[in-house]
Amino acid sequence: MTEKCIFCEILAGKAEASFVYRDEAVAAFMDIQPVNPGHVLVVPVRHTAMLSELNEEDGMQMFRVAQRVAAAVRATSKLPSAGVKCEGVNFFLADGRAAGQEVWHVHLHVFPRFAGDGHHMRFSPNYFKPSTRQDIEQTAEKLREVW
Ligand code: AMP
Ligand code: ZN
């Protein structure tokens, strides 16, 4: 663990958290500042700052657990007492500062969405400029080159 990683502290039982699931590779606990009630973070147990450092097995397990979290969030929203509203689910992972990463321990956000919840993703101006197939194919070719 690097110095003062809050998620490592949580995983070590040194900081408070509300766990939903834990196995040898992956844990899922509630986000302290939920986009909507039911917002869960899925993290690798081994400290890993960036996605490029995450081993594929742990990445696979993270997605497997996130899928189960999504199912649990949907199921919970059917219980009148749970206070979770879920008409859809977003997965979000910020890898790097420019992508919005604030905690340097890989984490996959899983959170419920419902119409009118006020959460929005803002698109860059580039999004509204149509790309040509040639441009898109050229980028795909570069990606294949570095694969
Ligand atoms: P990101 O911007 O993707 O790095 O998101 C970091 C997330 O970690 C935010 O949604 C925070 O609310 C959440 N977070 C930070 N500290 C804690 C904590 N102690 N317990 C639970 N979630 C946390
Ligand atoms: Zn950590």
Side-chain angles (χ1 to χ4, degrees):
M1 157 166 129
T2 54
E3 52 179 89
K4 271 278 177 191
C5 169
I6 182 63
F7 291 173
C8 281
E9 299 228 316
I10 286 172
L11 292 164
K14 293 180 186 149
E16 200 176 34
S18 299
F19 280 85
V20 174
Y21 176 82
R22 182 168 186 155
D23 62 31
E24 276 184 10
V26 164
F29 52 82
M30 304 311 290
D31 194 297
I32 205 170
Q33 202 176 334
V35 166
N36 286 315
H39 185 159
V40 172
L41 299 173
V42 181
V43 307
V45 169
R46 279 169 281 278
H47 178 84
T48 313
M50 305 285 295
L51 202 51
S52 55
E53 298 159 19
L54 184 70
N55 78 55
E56 284 190 7
E57 294 299 319
D58 286 356
M60 282 160 59
Q61 183 61 0
M62 276 179 71
F63 197 86
R64 203 176 279 139
V65 169
Q67 238 186 322
R68 284 198 236 144
V69 168
V73 170
R74 280 188 189 275
T76 305
S77 73
K78 304 216 163 49
L79 307 173
S81 58
V84 172
K85 209 168 163 183
C86 180
E87 295 167 359
V89 176
N90 272 149
F91 282 17
F92 177 74
L93 191 152
D95 185 45
R97 202 177 301 284
Q101 185 172 6
E102 288 178 354
V103 175
W104 299 92
H105 181 133
V106 172
H107 51 284
L108 178 56
H109 297 256
V110 181
F111 52 92
R113 300 297 310 277
F114 53 90
D117 65 11
H119 183 68
H120 295 289
M121 184 164 160
R122 275 202 24 233
F123 293 107
S124 73
N126 287 335
Y127 178 79
F128 300 99
K129 289 187 218 140
S131 276
T132 62
R133 172 57 51 198
Q134 197 187 5
D135 287 346
I136 291 169
E137 182 52 38
Q138 213 172 54
T139 310
E141 195 183 324
K142 296 285 173 228
L143 290 171
R144 291 192 295 265
E145 271 173 33
V146 299
W147 195 258

mmCIF file of all heavy atoms in Angstrom, residues 49-82:
data_model
loop_
_atom_site.group_PDB
_atom_site.id
_atom_site.type_symbol
_atom_site.label_atom_id
_atom_site.label_comp_id
_atom_site.label_asym_id
_atom_site.label_seq_id
_atom_site.Cartn_x
_atom_site.Cartn_y
_atom_site.Cartn_z
ATOM 1 N N ALA A 49 -2.941 1.409 -8.190
ATOM 2 C CA ALA A 49 -3.317 2.813 -8.393
ATOM 3 C C ALA A 49 -4.055 3.016 -9.709
ATOM 4 O O ALA A 49 -5.080 3.705 -9.758
ATOM 5 C CB ALA A 49 -2.074 3.692 -8.341
ATOM 6 N N MET A 50 -3.510 2.408 -10.769
ATOM 7 C CA MET A 50 -4.040 2.671 -12.110
ATOM 8 C C MET A 50 -4.480 1.373 -12.781
ATOM 9 O O MET A 50 -3.960 0.302 -12.481
ATOM 10 C CB MET A 50 -2.945 3.303 -12.997
ATOM 11 C CG MET A 50 -2.309 4.551 -12.452
ATOM 12 S SD MET A 50 -3.353 5.992 -12.577
ATOM 13 C CE MET A 50 -3.495 6.192 -14.348
ATOM 14 N N LEU A 51 -5.362 1.534 -13.742
ATOM 15 C CA LEU A 51 -5.892 0.379 -14.486
ATOM 16 C C LEU A 51 -4.776 -0.424 -15.163
ATOM 17 O O LEU A 51 -4.846 -1.650 -15.236
ATOM 18 C CB LEU A 51 -6.866 0.913 -15.540
ATOM 19 C CG LEU A 51 -7.929 -0.023 -16.096
ATOM 20 C CD1 LEU A 51 -8.712 -0.721 -15.002
ATOM 21 C CD2 LEU A 51 -8.858 0.750 -17.024
ATOM 22 N N SER A 52 -3.736 0.283 -15.630
ATOM 23 C CA SER A 52 -2.643 -0.406 -16.341
ATOM 24 C C SER A 52 -1.877 -1.348 -15.409
ATOM 25 O O SER A 52 -1.181 -2.247 -15.878
ATOM 26 C CB SER A 52 -1.684 0.624 -16.942
ATOM 27 O OG SER A 52 -1.232 1.492 -15.924
ATOM 28 N N GLU A 53 -2.007 -1.158 -14.090
ATOM 29 C CA GLU A 53 -1.301 -2.011 -13.128
ATOM 30 C C GLU A 53 -2.165 -3.170 -12.634
ATOM 31 O O GLU A 53 -1.695 -4.037 -11.900
ATOM 32 C CB GLU A 53 -0.883 -1.183 -11.899
ATOM 33 C CG GLU A 53 0.083 -0.065 -12.206
ATOM 34 C CD GLU A 53 0.062 1.013 -11.133
ATOM 35 O OE1 GLU A 53 -0.409 0.767 -10.008
ATOM 36 O OE2 GLU A 53 0.504 2.136 -11.449
ATOM 37 N N LEU A 54 -3.423 -3.136 -13.033
ATOM 38 C CA LEU A 54 -4.358 -4.166 -12.533
ATOM 39 C C LEU A 54 -4.164 -5.453 -13.319
ATOM 40 O O LEU A 54 -4.181 -5.418 -14.561
ATOM 41 C CB LEU A 54 -5.800 -3.652 -12.722
ATOM 42 C CG LEU A 54 -6.920 -4.533 -12.171
ATOM 43 C CD1 LEU A 54 -6.918 -4.522 -10.644
ATOM 44 C CD2 LEU A 54 -8.271 -4.061 -12.701
ATOM 45 N N ASN A 55 -4.010 -6.583 -12.617
ATOM 46 C CA ASN A 55 -3.881 -7.819 -13.387
ATOM 47 C C ASN A 55 -5.254 -8.218 -13.935
ATOM 48 O O ASN A 55 -6.303 -7.892 -13.381
ATOM 49 C CB ASN A 55 -3.146 -8.919 -12.607
ATOM 50 C CG ASN A 55 -4.018 -9.589 -11.575
ATOM 51 O OD1 ASN A 55 -5.098 -10.087 -11.891
ATOM 52 N ND2 ASN A 55 -3.548 -9.617 -10.343
ATOM 53 N N GLU A 56 -5.215 -8.895 -15.091
ATOM 54 C CA GLU A 56 -6.459 -9.180 -15.817
ATOM 55 C C GLU A 56 -7.426 -10.035 -15.010
ATOM 56 O O GLU A 56 -8.632 -9.870 -15.106
ATOM 57 C CB GLU A 56 -6.157 -9.837 -17.165
ATOM 58 C CG GLU A 56 -5.654 -8.841 -18.190
ATOM 59 C CD GLU A 56 -5.580 -9.419 -19.596
ATOM 60 O OE1 GLU A 56 -6.049 -10.553 -19.815
ATOM 61 O OE2 GLU A 56 -5.042 -8.718 -20.470
ATOM 62 N N GLU A 57 -6.877 -10.952 -14.205
ATOM 63 C CA GLU A 57 -7.750 -11.812 -13.392
ATOM 64 C C GLU A 57 -8.564 -10.967 -12.414
ATOM 65 O O GLU A 57 -9.770 -11.158 -12.258
ATOM 66 C CB GLU A 57 -6.910 -12.831 -12.598
ATOM 67 C CG GLU A 57 -6.189 -13.837 -13.441
ATOM 68 C CD GLU A 57 -7.148 -14.686 -14.274
ATOM 69 O OE1 GLU A 57 -8.201 -15.071 -13.737
ATOM 70 O OE2 GLU A 57 -6.844 -14.943 -15.455
ATOM 71 N N ASP A 58 -7.890 -10.002 -11.763
ATOM 72 C CA ASP A 58 -8.602 -9.136 -10.815
ATOM 73 C C ASP A 58 -9.610 -8.257 -11.559
ATOM 74 O O ASP A 58 -10.702 -7.995 -11.064
ATOM 75 C CB ASP A 58 -7.615 -8.270 -10.026
ATOM 76 C CG ASP A 58 -6.847 -9.074 -8.969
ATOM 77 O OD1 ASP A 58 -7.150 -10.272 -8.807
ATOM 78 O OD2 ASP A 58 -5.951 -8.509 -8.323
ATOM 79 N N GLY A 59 -9.221 -7.804 -12.763
ATOM 80 C CA GLY A 59 -10.144 -7.005 -13.572
ATOM 81 C C GLY A 59 -11.380 -7.793 -13.940
ATOM 82 O O GLY A 59 -12.507 -7.275 -13.882
ATOM 83 N N MET A 60 -11.189 -9.043 -14.290
ATOM 84 C CA MET A 60 -12.330 -9.899 -14.645
ATOM 85 C C MET A 60 -13.244 -10.091 -13.439
ATOM 86 O O MET A 60 -14.469 -10.026 -13.545
ATOM 87 C CB MET A 60 -11.829 -11.260 -15.149
ATOM 88 C CG MET A 60 -11.331 -11.206 -16.581
ATOM 89 S SD MET A 60 -10.235 -12.571 -16.995
ATOM 90 C CE MET A 60 -11.250 -13.969 -16.679
ATOM 91 N N GLN A 61 -12.609 -10.319 -12.293
ATOM 92 C CA GLN A 61 -13.408 -10.533 -11.077
ATOM 93 C C GLN A 61 -14.153 -9.244 -10.686
ATOM 94 O O GLN A 61 -15.284 -9.292 -10.219
ATOM 95 C CB GLN A 61 -12.510 -11.045 -9.934
ATOM 96 C CG GLN A 61 -13.235 -11.367 -8.646
ATOM 97 C CD GLN A 61 -14.291 -12.472 -8.766
ATOM 98 O OE1 GLN A 61 -14.521 -13.036 -9.828
ATOM 99 N NE2 GLN A 61 -14.964 -12.753 -7.666
ATOM 100 N N MET A 62 -13.488 -8.086 -10.918
ATOM 101 C CA MET A 62 -14.160 -6.805 -10.622
ATOM 102 C C MET A 62 -15.435 -6.673 -11.448
ATOM 103 O O MET A 62 -16.475 -6.256 -10.954
ATOM 104 C CB MET A 62 -13.244 -5.620 -10.951
ATOM 105 C CG MET A 62 -12.275 -5.271 -9.855
ATOM 106 S SD MET A 62 -11.221 -3.897 -10.335
ATOM 107 C CE MET A 62 -12.374 -2.521 -10.292
ATOM 108 N N PHE A 63 -15.356 -7.022 -12.721
ATOM 109 C CA PHE A 63 -16.538 -6.878 -13.572
ATOM 110 C C PHE A 63 -17.619 -7.886 -13.177
ATOM 111 O O PHE A 63 -18.807 -7.555 -13.137
ATOM 112 C CB PHE A 63 -16.180 -7.026 -15.057
ATOM 113 C CG PHE A 63 -17.268 -6.470 -15.937
ATOM 114 C CD1 PHE A 63 -17.287 -5.123 -16.254
ATOM 115 C CD2 PHE A 63 -18.299 -7.275 -16.400
ATOM 116 C CE1 PHE A 63 -18.314 -4.591 -17.023
ATOM 117 C CE2 PHE A 63 -19.330 -6.758 -17.168
ATOM 118 C CZ PHE A 63 -19.334 -5.409 -17.481
ATOM 119 N N ARG A 64 -17.184 -9.102 -12.842
ATOM 120 C CA ARG A 64 -18.134 -10.136 -12.414
ATOM 121 C C ARG A 64 -18.907 -9.657 -11.176
ATOM 122 O O ARG A 64 -20.121 -9.744 -11.105
ATOM 123 C CB ARG A 64 -17.340 -11.408 -12.089
ATOM 124 C CG ARG A 64 -18.128 -12.671 -12.169
ATOM 125 C CD ARG A 64 -17.228 -13.880 -11.925
ATOM 126 N NE ARG A 64 -16.481 -14.299 -13.085
ATOM 127 C CZ ARG A 64 -15.203 -14.686 -13.072
ATOM 128 N NH1 ARG A 64 -14.501 -14.680 -11.953
ATOM 129 N NH2 ARG A 64 -14.608 -15.073 -14.169
ATOM 130 N N VAL A 65 -18.158 -9.113 -10.213
ATOM 131 C CA VAL A 65 -18.787 -8.638 -8.967
ATOM 132 C C VAL A 65 -19.669 -7.421 -9.260
ATOM 133 O O VAL A 65 -20.780 -7.303 -8.731
ATOM 134 C CB VAL A 65 -17.708 -8.332 -7.894
ATOM 135 C CG1 VAL A 65 -18.289 -7.604 -6.702
ATOM 136 C CG2 VAL A 65 -17.041 -9.631 -7.457
ATOM 137 N N ALA A 66 -19.203 -6.534 -10.134
ATOM 138 C CA ALA A 66 -20.004 -5.341 -10.473
ATOM 139 C C ALA A 66 -21.335 -5.743 -11.093
ATOM 140 O O ALA A 66 -22.376 -5.125 -10.829
ATOM 141 C CB ALA A 66 -19.217 -4.442 -11.417
ATOM 142 N N GLN A 67 -21.312 -6.783 -11.918
ATOM 143 C CA GLN A 67 -22.556 -7.271 -12.529
ATOM 144 C C GLN A 67 -23.521 -7.758 -11.451
ATOM 145 O O GLN A 67 -24.724 -7.504 -11.499
ATOM 146 C CB GLN A 67 -22.225 -8.430 -13.459
ATOM 147 C CG GLN A 67 -22.673 -8.206 -14.888
ATOM 148 C CD GLN A 67 -22.453 -9.432 -15.748
ATOM 149 O OE1 GLN A 67 -21.445 -10.132 -15.586
ATOM 150 N NE2 GLN A 67 -23.365 -9.686 -16.641
ATOM 151 N N ARG A 68 -22.953 -8.447 -10.443
ATOM 152 C CA ARG A 68 -23.788 -8.949 -9.345
ATOM 153 C C ARG A 68 -24.288 -7.790 -8.484
ATOM 154 O O ARG A 68 -25.414 -7.806 -7.997
ATOM 155 C CB ARG A 68 -23.021 -9.945 -8.486
ATOM 156 C CG ARG A 68 -22.899 -11.291 -9.160
ATOM 157 C CD ARG A 68 -22.531 -12.336 -8.122
ATOM 158 N NE ARG A 68 -21.316 -13.021 -8.525
ATOM 159 C CZ ARG A 68 -20.370 -13.448 -7.695
ATOM 160 N NH1 ARG A 68 -20.499 -13.266 -6.397
ATOM 161 N NH2 ARG A 68 -19.300 -14.053 -8.148
ATOM 162 N N VAL A 69 -23.446 -6.776 -8.290
ATOM 163 C CA VAL A 69 -23.873 -5.588 -7.531
ATOM 164 C C VAL A 69 -25.051 -4.936 -8.253
ATOM 165 O O VAL A 69 -26.056 -4.574 -7.636
ATOM 166 C CB VAL A 69 -22.713 -4.574 -7.360
ATOM 167 C CG1 VAL A 69 -23.223 -3.240 -6.839
ATOM 168 C CG2 VAL A 69 -21.637 -5.129 -6.430
ATOM 169 N N ALA A 70 -24.937 -4.803 -9.574
ATOM 170 C CA ALA A 70 -26.013 -4.178 -10.356
ATOM 171 C C ALA A 70 -27.317 -4.949 -10.167
ATOM 172 O O ALA A 70 -28.389 -4.350 -9.984
ATOM 173 C CB ALA A 70 -25.624 -4.114 -11.826
ATOM 174 N N ALA A 71 -27.224 -6.275 -10.193
ATOM 175 C CA ALA A 71 -28.427 -7.100 -10.008
ATOM 176 C C ALA A 71 -28.999 -6.892 -8.606
ATOM 177 O O ALA A 71 -30.222 -6.798 -8.425
ATOM 178 C CB ALA A 71 -28.088 -8.570 -10.238
ATOM 179 N N ALA A 72 -28.112 -6.785 -7.612
ATOM 180 C CA ALA A 72 -28.564 -6.585 -6.229
ATOM 181 C C ALA A 72 -29.222 -5.217 -6.068
ATOM 182 O O ALA A 72 -30.241 -5.085 -5.377
ATOM 183 C CB ALA A 72 -27.383 -6.728 -5.264
ATOM 184 N N VAL A 73 -28.645 -4.203 -6.723
ATOM 185 C CA VAL A 73 -29.217 -2.851 -6.622
ATOM 186 C C VAL A 73 -30.624 -2.849 -7.241
ATOM 187 O O VAL A 73 -31.572 -2.300 -6.673
ATOM 188 C CB VAL A 73 -28.291 -1.809 -7.305
ATOM 189 C CG1 VAL A 73 -28.970 -0.471 -7.433
ATOM 190 C CG2 VAL A 73 -26.992 -1.663 -6.510
ATOM 191 N N ARG A 74 -30.747 -3.495 -8.399
ATOM 192 C CA ARG A 74 -32.080 -3.582 -9.034
ATOM 193 C C ARG A 74 -33.067 -4.332 -8.132
ATOM 194 O O ARG A 74 -34.211 -3.907 -7.973
ATOM 195 C CB ARG A 74 -31.991 -4.315 -10.381
ATOM 196 C CG ARG A 74 -31.504 -3.443 -11.525
ATOM 197 C CD ARG A 74 -31.644 -4.202 -12.847
ATOM 198 N NE ARG A 74 -31.010 -3.512 -13.945
ATOM 199 C CZ ARG A 74 -31.586 -2.548 -14.666
ATOM 200 N NH1 ARG A 74 -32.826 -2.172 -14.398
ATOM 201 N NH2 ARG A 74 -30.949 -1.969 -15.653
ATOM 202 N N ALA A 75 -32.605 -5.433 -7.552
ATOM 203 C CA ALA A 75 -33.489 -6.232 -6.690
ATOM 204 C C ALA A 75 -33.894 -5.438 -5.449
ATOM 205 O O ALA A 75 -35.046 -5.475 -5.018
ATOM 206 C CB ALA A 75 -32.785 -7.534 -6.294
ATOM 207 N N THR A 76 -32.933 -4.700 -4.889
ATOM 208 C CA THR A 76 -33.193 -3.915 -3.678
ATOM 209 C C THR A 76 -34.236 -2.841 -3.930
ATOM 210 O O THR A 76 -35.056 -2.534 -3.053
ATOM 211 C CB THR A 76 -31.876 -3.257 -3.188
ATOM 212 O OG1 THR A 76 -30.915 -4.280 -3.018
ATOM 213 C CG2 THR A 76 -32.068 -2.546 -1.876
ATOM 214 N N SER A 77 -34.215 -2.288 -5.151
ATOM 215 C CA SER A 77 -35.146 -1.197 -5.454
ATOM 216 C C SER A 77 -36.601 -1.686 -5.456
ATOM 217 O O SER A 77 -37.532 -0.885 -5.404
ATOM 218 C CB SER A 77 -34.798 -0.553 -6.794
ATOM 219 O OG SER A 77 -35.162 -1.409 -7.856
ATOM 220 N N LYS A 78 -36.764 -3.014 -5.490
ATOM 221 C CA LYS A 78 -38.135 -3.571 -5.461
ATOM 222 C C LYS A 78 -38.651 -3.705 -4.034
ATOM 223 O O LYS A 78 -39.826 -3.942 -3.807
ATOM 224 C CB LYS A 78 -38.160 -4.928 -6.166
ATOM 225 C CG LYS A 78 -37.634 -4.843 -7.593
ATOM 226 C CD LYS A 78 -38.352 -5.738 -8.562
ATOM 227 C CE LYS A 78 -38.115 -5.372 -10.009
ATOM 228 N NZ LYS A 78 -36.729 -5.176 -10.420
ATOM 229 N N LEU A 79 -37.739 -3.555 -3.066
ATOM 230 C CA LEU A 79 -38.158 -3.619 -1.656
ATOM 231 C C LEU A 79 -38.566 -2.216 -1.218
ATOM 232 O O LEU A 79 -37.737 -1.297 -1.242
ATOM 233 C CB LEU A 79 -36.998 -4.099 -0.765
ATOM 234 C CG LEU A 79 -36.291 -5.396 -1.156
ATOM 235 C CD1 LEU A 79 -35.061 -5.618 -0.278
ATOM 236 C CD2 LEU A 79 -37.254 -6.571 -1.042
ATOM 237 N N PRO A 80 -39.811 -2.012 -0.830
ATOM 238 C CA PRO A 80 -40.280 -0.666 -0.525
ATOM 239 C C PRO A 80 -39.476 0.021 0.583
ATOM 240 O O PRO A 80 -39.298 1.230 0.585
ATOM 241 C CB PRO A 80 -41.734 -0.867 -0.098
ATOM 242 C CG PRO A 80 -42.053 -2.304 -0.253
ATOM 243 C CD PRO A 80 -40.817 -3.054 -0.612
ATOM 244 N N SER A 81 -38.916 -0.767 1.509
ATOM 245 C CA SER A 81 -38.220 -0.183 2.665
ATOM 246 C C SER A 81 -36.780 0.233 2.356
ATOM 247 O O SER A 81 -36.145 0.910 3.168
ATOM 248 C CB SER A 81 -38.204 -1.207 3.796
ATOM 249 O OG SER A 81 -37.567 -2.380 3.341
ATOM 250 N N ALA A 82 -36.247 -0.148 1.189
ATOM 251 C CA ALA A 82 -34.807 0.035 0.959
ATOM 252 C C ALA A 82 -34.416 1.471 0.618
ATOM 253 O O ALA A 82 -33.271 1.864 0.826
ATOM 254 C CB ALA A 82 -34.336 -0.904 -0.146
#
